[in-house]
Coordinates of all heavy atoms in Angstrom, one line a residue:
K15 N 304.3 257.3 119.7 CA 305.6 258.0 119.5 C 305.4 259.3 118.8 O 304.6 259.4 117.9 CB 306.5 257.1 118.7 CG 307.2 256.0 119.3 CD 308.2 255.4 118.4 CE 308.9 254.2 119.0 NZ 309.8 253.6 118.1
S16 N 306.1 260.3 119.2 CA 306.1 261.6 118.5 C 307.3 261.7 117.6 O 308.3 261.2 117.9 CB 306.0 262.7 119.5 OG 307.2 262.9 120.2
N17 N 307.1 262.4 116.5 CA 308.2 262.6 115.5 C 308.7 264.0 115.7 O 308.0 265.0 115.3 CB 307.6 262.4 114.1 CG 308.7 262.5 113.1 OD1 309.7 263.1 113.3 ND2 308.4 262.0 111.9
P18 N 309.9 264.2 116.3 CA 310.4 265.5 116.5 C 310.5 266.4 115.2 O 310.4 267.6 115.2 CB 311.7 265.3 117.2 CG 312.1 263.9 117.0 CD 310.8 263.2 116.7
D19 N 310.8 265.7 114.1 CA 311.0 266.4 112.8 C 309.6 267.0 112.4 O 309.6 268.1 111.9 CB 311.5 265.5 111.7 CG 313.0 265.1 112.0 OD1 313.7 265.9 112.7 OD2 313.4 264.1 111.5
A20 N 308.6 266.3 112.6 CA 307.2 266.8 112.2 C 306.8 267.9 113.1 O 306.3 268.9 112.6 CB 306.2 265.6 112.3
A21 N 307.1 267.8 114.4 CA 306.8 268.9 115.3 C 307.6 270.2 114.9 O 307.0 271.3 114.9 CB 307.1 268.5 116.7
T22 N 308.8 270.1 114.5 CA 309.6 271.2 114.1 C 309.0 271.8 112.9 O 308.9 273.1 112.8 CB 311.1 270.8 113.9 OG1 311.6 270.3 115.1 CG2 311.9 272.0 113.5
A23 N 308.7 271.0 111.9 CA 308.1 271.5 110.7 C 306.8 272.3 110.9 O 306.6 273.3 110.3 CB 307.9 270.4 109.7
Q24 N 306.0 271.8 111.8 CA 304.7 272.4 112.1 C 304.9 273.7 112.8 O 304.2 274.7 112.7 CB 303.8 271.5 112.9 CG 303.3 270.3 112.1 CD 302.5 269.3 113.0 OE1 302.4 269.5 114.2 NE2 302.0 268.3 112.3
G25 N 306.0 273.8 113.6 CA 306.3 275.0 114.4 C 306.9 276.2 113.6 O 306.9 277.3 114.0
Q26 N 307.4 275.9 112.4 CA 308.0 276.9 111.6 C 306.9 277.7 110.8 O 306.0 277.1 110.4 CB 309.0 276.3 110.6 CG 310.2 275.7 111.3 CD 311.1 275.0 110.3 OE1 310.8 274.8 109.2 NE2 312.3 274.7 110.7
V27 N 307.1 279.0 110.7 CA 306.2 279.8 110.0 C 306.9 280.2 108.7 O 307.9 280.8 108.7 CB 305.8 281.0 110.8 CG1 304.8 281.9 110.0 CG2 305.1 280.6 112.1
A28 N 306.3 279.8 107.6 CA 306.9 280.1 106.3 C 306.5 281.5 105.8 O 305.3 281.9 105.9 CB 306.4 279.1 105.2
N29 N 307.4 282.2 105.3 CA 307.1 283.5 104.7 C 306.6 283.4 103.3 O 307.0 282.5 102.6 CB 308.4 284.4 104.7 CG 308.6 285.1 106.0 OD1 307.8 285.3 106.8 ND2 309.9 285.6 106.2
I30 N 305.7 284.3 102.9 CA 305.1 284.3 101.6 C 305.7 285.5 100.9 O 305.7 286.6 101.5 CB 303.6 284.4 101.7 CG1 303.0 283.2 102.4 CG2 303.0 284.6 100.3 CD1 301.6 283.4 102.9
A31 N 306.2 285.4 99.7 CA 306.8 286.5 99.0 C 305.8 287.0 97.9 O 305.3 286.2 97.1 CB 308.1 286.1 98.3
V32 N 305.5 288.3 98.0 CA 304.6 288.9 97.1 C 305.3 290.1 96.5 O 305.8 290.9 97.2 CB 303.3 289.3 97.7 CG1 302.4 290.1 96.8 CG2 302.5 288.1 98.3
Q33 N 305.2 290.2 95.2 CA 305.8 291.4 94.5 C 304.7 292.4 94.3 O 303.6 292.1 93.8 CB 306.4 291.0 93.1 CG 307.1 292.1 92.4 CD 307.7 291.7 91.1 OE1 307.0 291.3 90.2 NE2 309.0 291.8 91.0
V34 N 304.9 293.6 94.7 CA 303.9 294.7 94.5 C 304.5 295.6 93.4 O 305.7 296.0 93.4 CB 303.6 295.5 95.8 CG1 302.8 294.6 96.8 CG2 304.9 296.0 96.5
Y35 N 303.6 295.9 92.4 CA 304.1 296.7 91.3 C 303.2 298.0 91.2 O 302.0 298.0 91.2 CB 303.9 296.0 90.0 CG 304.3 296.8 88.8 CD1 305.7 296.9 88.5 CD2 303.4 297.3 88.0 CE1 306.0 297.7 87.4 CE2 303.7 298.1 86.9 CZ 305.1 298.3 86.6 OH 305.4 299.0 85.5
N36 N 303.9 299.2 91.2 CA 303.2 300.5 91.1 C 303.0 300.9 89.7 O 304.0 301.2 89.0 CB 304.0 301.5 91.9 CG 303.4 302.9 91.9 OD1 302.4 303.1 91.3 ND2 304.1 303.8 92.5
R37 N 301.8 300.8 89.2 CA 301.5 301.2 87.8 C 301.4 302.7 87.7 O 301.2 303.2 86.6 CB 300.2 300.6 87.3 CG 300.3 299.1 87.3 CD 299.0 298.5 86.7 NE 297.9 298.8 87.6 CZ 296.7 298.2 87.6 NH1 296.5 297.2 86.8 NH2 295.8 298.5 88.5
G38 N 301.3 303.4 88.8 CA 301.1 304.9 88.8 C 302.3 305.7 88.4 O 303.4 305.3 88.1
L39 N 302.0 307.1 88.4 CA 303.0 308.1 88.0 C 303.7 308.7 89.2 O 304.7 309.5 89.0 CB 302.3 309.2 87.1 CG 301.6 308.7 85.9 CD1 300.9 309.9 85.2 CD2 302.7 308.1 84.9
V40 N 303.3 308.4 90.4 CA 303.9 308.9 91.6 C 304.2 307.7 92.5 O 303.6 306.7 92.5 CB 303.0 309.9 92.3 CG1 302.8 311.2 91.4 CG2 301.7 309.4 92.7
S41 N 305.2 307.9 93.4 CA 305.5 306.9 94.4 C 304.3 306.6 95.3 O 303.5 307.5 95.6 CB 306.7 307.3 95.3 OG 307.8 307.4 94.5
Q42 N 304.2 305.3 95.7 CA 303.1 304.9 96.6 C 303.7 304.3 97.9 O 304.7 303.6 97.8 CB 302.2 303.9 95.9 CG 301.4 304.5 94.8 CD 300.4 305.5 95.2 OE1 299.7 305.4 96.2 NE2 300.3 306.6 94.5
D43 N 303.1 304.6 99.0 CA 303.6 304.0 100.3 C 302.7 302.9 100.8 O 301.4 303.1 100.7 CB 303.7 305.1 101.3 CG 304.7 306.2 101.0 OD1 305.8 305.8 100.4 OD2 304.5 307.3 101.3
L44 N 303.3 301.8 101.2 CA 302.5 300.7 101.8 C 303.0 300.5 103.2 O 304.2 300.7 103.5 CB 302.7 299.4 101.0 CG 302.5 299.5 99.5 CD1 302.9 298.2 98.8 CD2 301.0 299.8 99.3
K45 N 302.1 300.0 104.1 CA 302.5 299.7 105.5 C 302.2 298.3 105.7 O 301.1 297.8 105.6 CB 301.8 300.6 106.4 CG 302.4 300.6 107.8 CD 301.9 301.6 108.8 CE 302.6 302.9 108.5 NZ 302.2 303.9 109.5
V46 N 303.3 297.5 106.2 CA 303.1 296.1 106.5 C 303.7 295.9 107.9 O 304.9 296.2 108.1 CB 303.9 295.2 105.5 CG1 303.7 293.8 105.8 CG2 303.4 295.5 104.1
E47 N 302.9 295.5 108.9 CA 303.3 295.3 110.2 C 304.1 296.5 110.8 O 305.1 296.4 111.4 CB 304.2 294.0 110.3 CG 303.4 292.8 110.0 CD 304.2 291.5 110.2 OE1 305.4 291.5 109.8 OE2 303.6 290.5 110.7
G48 N 303.6 297.7 110.5 CA 304.2 298.9 111.0 C 305.4 299.4 110.2 O 305.9 300.5 110.5
K49 N 305.9 298.6 109.3 CA 307.0 299.0 108.5 C 306.5 299.7 107.2 O 305.6 299.2 106.5 CB 307.9 297.8 108.1 CG 309.2 298.2 107.4 CD 310.1 297.0 107.2 CE 311.3 297.5 106.5 NZ 312.3 296.4 106.2
L50 N 307.2 300.8 106.8 CA 306.8 301.6 105.6 C 307.6 301.1 104.4 O 308.8 301.0 104.5 CB 306.9 303.1 105.9 CG 306.5 304.0 104.8 CD1 305.0 303.9 104.6 CD2 306.9 305.4 105.1
Y51 N 307.0 300.9 103.3 CA 307.6 300.5 102.0 C 307.2 301.6 101.0 O 306.0 301.8 100.9 CB 307.2 299.2 101.5 CG 307.6 298.0 102.4 CD1 306.8 297.6 103.5 CD2 308.8 297.4 102.2 CE1 307.2 296.5 104.3 CE2 309.2 296.3 103.0 CZ 308.4 295.9 104.0 OH 308.8 294.9 104.8
T52 N 308.1 302.2 100.3 CA 307.8 303.1 99.2 C 308.1 302.4 97.9 O 309.2 301.9 97.7 CB 308.7 304.4 99.4 OG1 308.3 305.0 100.6 CG2 308.4 305.4 98.2
V53 N 307.1 302.4 97.0 CA 307.3 301.8 95.7 C 307.3 302.9 94.7 O 306.3 303.6 94.5 CB 306.1 300.8 95.4 CG1 306.4 300.0 94.1 CG2 306.0 299.8 96.6
A54 N 308.4 303.1 94.0 CA 308.5 304.1 93.0 C 307.6 303.9 91.8 O 307.2 302.7 91.6 CB 310.0 304.2 92.6
P55 N 307.3 304.9 91.0 CA 306.4 304.7 89.8 C 307.0 303.7 88.9 O 308.3 303.7 88.6 CB 306.4 306.1 89.2 CG 306.9 307.1 90.2 CD 307.7 306.3 91.2
H56 N 306.2 302.8 88.4 CA 306.6 301.8 87.4 C 307.7 300.9 87.9 O 308.5 300.4 87.1 CB 307.0 302.4 86.0 CG 305.9 303.3 85.5 ND1 304.7 302.8 84.9 CD2 305.7 304.6 85.4 CE1 304.0 303.7 84.5 NE2 304.5 304.9 84.8
Q57 N 307.7 300.7 89.2 CA 308.7 299.8 89.8 C 308.0 298.8 90.7 O 306.9 298.9 91.0 CB 309.7 300.6 90.7 CG 310.5 301.7 90.0 CD 311.5 301.0 89.0 OE1 312.2 300.1 89.3 NE2 311.5 301.5 87.8
A58 N 308.8 297.7 91.0 CA 308.2 296.6 91.8 C 309.1 296.4 93.0 O 310.3 296.8 93.0 CB 308.2 295.3 91.0
L59 N 308.5 295.9 94.0 CA 309.2 295.6 95.3 C 308.6 294.3 95.8 O 307.4 294.0 95.8 CB 308.9 296.7 96.3 CG 309.5 296.6 97.7 CD1 311.0 296.8 97.6 CD2 308.9 297.7 98.6
T60 N 309.5 293.4 96.3 CA 309.1 292.1 96.9 C 309.0 292.3 98.4 O 310.0 292.7 99.0 CB 310.0 291.0 96.5 OG1 310.0 290.8 95.1 CG2 309.5 289.7 97.1
I61 N 307.9 291.9 98.9 CA 307.7 292.0 100.4 C 307.4 290.5 100.9 O 306.6 289.8 100.2 CB 306.5 292.9 100.8 CG1 306.7 294.3 100.2 CG2 306.3 292.9 102.3 CD1 305.6 295.2 100.4
K62 N 308.0 290.1 102.0 CA 307.8 288.8 102.5 C 307.1 289.0 103.9 O 307.5 289.8 104.7 CB 309.1 288.1 102.7 CG 309.8 287.8 101.4 CD 311.1 287.0 101.6 CE 311.8 286.7 100.3 NZ 313.1 286.0 100.5
A63 N 306.1 288.1 104.1 CA 305.4 288.2 105.4 C 304.7 286.8 105.6 O 304.6 286.0 104.6 CB 304.4 289.3 105.4
T64 N 304.1 286.6 106.7 CA 303.4 285.4 107.0 C 302.0 285.5 106.6 O 301.5 286.6 106.4 CB 303.5 285.0 108.5 OG1 302.9 286.1 109.2 CG2 304.9 284.8 108.9
S65 N 301.3 284.4 106.4 CA 299.9 284.3 106.0 C 299.1 285.1 107.0 O 299.3 285.1 108.2 CB 299.5 282.9 105.9 OG 298.1 282.8 105.5
G66 N 298.2 285.9 106.4 CA 297.3 286.7 107.2 C 297.8 288.1 107.5 O 297.0 289.0 108.0
T67 N 299.0 288.4 107.2 CA 299.6 289.7 107.4 C 298.9 290.7 106.4 O 298.8 290.5 105.2 CB 301.1 289.8 107.1 OG1 301.7 288.9 108.0 CG2 301.7 291.1 107.3
A68 N 298.5 291.8 107.0 CA 297.7 292.9 106.2 C 298.7 293.9 105.6 O 299.7 294.2 106.2 CB 296.8 293.6 107.2
V69 N 298.3 294.3 104.4 CA 299.0 295.4 103.7 C 298.1 296.6 103.6 O 297.0 296.4 103.0 CB 299.5 294.9 102.3 CG1 300.2 296.0 101.6 CG2 300.4 293.7 102.5
Y70 N 298.5 297.7 104.1 CA 297.7 298.9 104.1 C 298.3 300.0 103.2 O 299.5 300.1 103.1 CB 297.5 299.5 105.5 CG 296.8 298.6 106.4 CD1 297.4 297.7 107.3 CD2 295.4 298.7 106.5 CE1 296.7 296.9 108.1 CE2 294.6 297.9 107.3 CZ 295.3 297.0 108.2 OH 294.6 296.2 109.0
A71 N 297.5 300.8 102.6 CA 297.9 302.0 101.8 C 298.4 303.0 102.9 O 297.7 303.3 103.8 CB 296.8 302.5 101.0
D72 N 299.6 303.6 102.7 CA 300.0 304.7 103.5 C 300.1 306.0 102.8 O 300.7 307.0 103.2 CB 301.4 304.3 104.2 CG 301.6 305.1 105.5 OD1 300.8 305.0 106.4 OD2 302.6 305.9 105.5
S73 N 299.5 306.0 101.6 CA 299.3 307.2 100.8 C 298.1 306.9 99.9 O 297.8 305.8 99.6 CB 300.6 307.5 99.9 OG 300.9 306.4 99.0
P74 N 297.4 308.0 99.5 CA 296.2 307.7 98.7 C 296.6 307.3 97.3 O 297.6 307.7 96.8 CB 295.5 309.1 98.7 CG 296.6 310.1 98.9 CD 297.6 309.4 99.8
G75 N 295.7 306.5 96.6 CA 296.0 306.1 95.3 C 294.7 306.0 94.5 O 293.6 306.4 95.0
T76 N 294.7 305.5 93.3 CA 293.5 305.4 92.5 C 292.6 304.3 93.1 O 293.0 303.1 93.1 CB 293.9 305.1 91.0 OG1 294.7 306.1 90.6 CG2 292.7 305.0 90.2
G77 N 291.5 304.6 93.6 CA 290.6 303.6 94.1 C 290.7 303.3 95.6 O 290.0 302.4 96.1
Y78 N 291.7 303.9 96.3 CA 291.8 303.7 97.7 C 292.4 304.9 98.4 O 293.0 305.8 97.8 CB 292.7 302.4 98.0 CG 294.1 302.6 97.4 CD1 295.2 303.1 98.1 CD2 294.4 302.1 96.1 CE1 296.4 303.3 97.5 CE2 295.6 302.2 95.5 CZ 296.7 302.8 96.3 OH 297.9 302.9 95.7
Q79 N 292.2 304.9 99.7 CA 292.6 306.0 100.5 C 293.7 305.6 101.5 O 293.9 304.4 101.8 CB 291.5 306.6 101.4 CG 290.3 307.2 100.5 CD 290.8 308.3 99.7 OE1 291.5 309.2 100.1 NE2 290.4 308.3 98.4
K80 N 294.5 306.5 102.0 CA 295.5 306.2 103.0 C 294.8 305.5 104.2 O 293.8 305.9 104.7 CB 296.2 307.5 103.5 CG 297.3 307.3 104.5 CD 297.9 308.6 104.9 CE 299.0 308.3 106.0 NZ 299.7 309.4 106.4
G81 N 295.5 304.4 104.7 CA 294.9 303.7 105.8 C 294.0 302.5 105.4 O 293.7 301.7 106.2
E82 N 293.7 302.4 104.1 CA 292.8 301.4 103.6 C 293.5 300.0 103.5 O 294.7 300.0 103.0 CB 292.2 301.8 102.3 CG 291.1 300.9 101.8 CD 290.3 301.4 100.6 OE1 290.3 302.7 100.5 OE2 289.9 300.6 99.8
L83 N 292.9 298.9 103.8 CA 293.4 297.6 103.6 C 293.5 297.3 102.1 O 292.4 297.4 101.5 CB 292.6 296.6 104.4 CG 293.0 295.1 104.2 CD1 294.4 294.8 104.8 CD2 291.9 294.2 104.7
L84 N 294.6 296.9 101.6 CA 294.8 296.6 100.2 C 294.6 295.1 100.0 O 293.9 294.6 99.1 CB 296.1 297.1 99.7 CG 296.3 298.6 99.7 CD1 297.7 299.0 99.2 CD2 295.2 299.3 98.9
F85 N 295.3 294.3 100.8 CA 295.2 292.9 100.8 C 295.9 292.2 102.0 O 296.6 292.9 102.7 CB 295.8 292.3 99.5 CG 297.3 292.4 99.3 CD1 298.2 291.4 99.8 CD2 297.9 293.6 98.7 CE1 299.5 291.6 99.6 CE2 299.2 293.7 98.6 CZ 300.1 292.7 99.1
K86 N 295.6 290.9 102.2 CA 296.3 290.2 103.2 C 297.1 289.0 102.5 O 296.6 288.5 101.6 CB 295.3 289.6 104.2 CG 294.7 290.6 105.1 CD 293.8 289.9 106.2 CE 293.3 291.0 107.1 NZ 292.5 290.3 108.2
F87 N 298.2 288.8 103.1 CA 299.0 287.7 102.5 C 298.3 286.3 102.7 O 297.7 286.1 103.8 CB 300.4 287.6 103.3 CG 301.4 288.6 102.8 CD1 301.3 289.9 103.1 CD2 302.4 288.2 101.9 CE1 302.3 290.8 102.7 CE2 303.4 289.1 101.5 CZ 303.3 290.4 101.9
A88 N 298.4 285.5 101.7 CA 297.8 284.2 101.7 C 298.7 283.2 101.0 O 299.5 283.6 100.1 CB 296.4 284.2 101.0
P89 N 298.8 281.9 101.4 CA 299.7 281.0 100.8 C 299.6 280.9 99.3 O 300.6 280.8 98.6 CB 299.3 279.7 101.5 CG 298.8 280.0 102.8 CD 298.0 281.3 102.6
A90 N 298.4 281.1 98.8 CA 298.2 281.0 97.3 C 298.9 282.2 96.6 O 299.1 282.1 95.4 CB 296.7 280.9 97.0
M91 N 299.2 283.2 97.3 CA 299.8 284.4 96.7 C 301.3 284.3 96.5 O 302.0 285.2 95.9 CB 299.5 285.6 97.5 CG 298.0 286.0 97.6 SD 297.8 287.4 98.7 CE 298.3 288.7 97.7
N92 N 302.0 283.3 97.1 CA 303.4 283.2 97.1 C 303.9 283.2 95.6 O 303.5 282.5 94.8 CB 303.9 281.9 97.7 CG 305.3 281.9 98.0 OD1 305.9 282.9 98.3 ND2 306.0 280.7 98.0
G93 N 304.8 284.2 95.4 CA 305.3 284.4 94.0 C 304.5 285.3 93.1 O 304.9 285.5 92.0
A94 N 303.3 285.7 93.6 CA 302.4 286.5 92.8 C 302.8 287.9 92.7 O 303.6 288.4 93.5 CB 301.0 286.3 93.3
T95 N 302.3 288.7 91.7 CA 302.5 290.1 91.6 C 301.1 290.8 91.8 O 300.1 290.4 91.2 CB 303.0 290.5 90.2 OG1 304.3 289.9 90.1 CG2 303.2 292.0 90.1
V96 N 301.1 291.8 92.7 CA 299.9 292.6 93.0 C 300.2 294.0 92.4 O 301.2 294.6 92.7 CB 299.6 292.7 94.5 CG1 298.5 293.7 94.7 CG2 299.4 291.3 95.1
K97 N 299.4 294.4 91.4 CA 299.6 295.7 90.7 C 298.6 296.7 91.3 O 297.4 296.4 91.6 CB 299.4 295.5 89.2 CG 300.4 294.6 88.6 CD 300.1 294.4 87.1 CE 301.1 293.4 86.5 NZ 300.8 293.2 85.1
F98 N 299.1 297.9 91.5 CA 298.3 299.0 92.0 C 298.8 300.3 91.5 O 299.9 300.4 90.9 CB 298.3 299.0 93.5 CG 299.6 299.3 94.1 CD1 299.9 300.6 94.6 CD2 300.6 298.4 94.2 CE1 301.1 300.9 95.1 CE2 301.8 298.7 94.8 CZ 302.1 299.9 95.2
N99 N 298.0 301.4 91.7 CA 298.4 302.7 91.3 C 297.7 303.7 92.1 O 296.7 303.5 92.8 CB 298.3 303.0 89.8 CG 296.9 302.8 89.2 OD1 296.2 301.8 89.6 ND2 296.5 303.6 88.3

């Protein structure tokens, strides 16, 4: 016998919520699945995505260049804060 409830639960993709915090003095742009997010200086923004989703810098910052991979969403990151500048 198959359990339809179990199949439904396995078919659903859970979003992971990660807060990104800009420690810098200027706004920073991030790109997630083609969508641009601007994080103001000393501000935070929560982004939700599925596991494995890549977050790229869309502006240069301290220690990274525009277009560089910053991190990928992972289940263990749910509710975490990622700080950058």
Side-chain angles (χ1 to χ4, degrees):
K15 283 184 178 180
S16 67
N17 182 345
D19 291 333
T22 301
Q24 290 174 355
Q26 292 176 347
V27 178
N29 275 340
I30 298 163
V32 174
Q33 185 179 63
V34 290
Y35 179 77
N36 180 0
R37 296 184 296 200
L39 300 175
V40 297
S41 293
Q42 295 292 318
D43 296 325
L44 305 175
K45 192 173 278 189
V46 182
E47 295 183 321
K49 184 174 179 181
L50 185 66
Y51 295 89
T52 299
V53 186
H56 303 287
Q57 297 297 312
L59 177 71
T60 299
I61 301 174
K62 294 181 181 179
T64 58
S65 182
T67 299
V69 177
Y70 293 94
D72 203 57
S73 57
T76 303
Y78 59 88
Q79 297 299 314
K80 181 177 178 175
E82 189 171 329
L83 174 67
L84 297 177
F85 66 91
K86 288 187 178 184
F87 280 78
M91 297 176 74
N92 195 31
T95 298
V96 175
K97 298 177 183 179
F98 67 99
N99 54 324

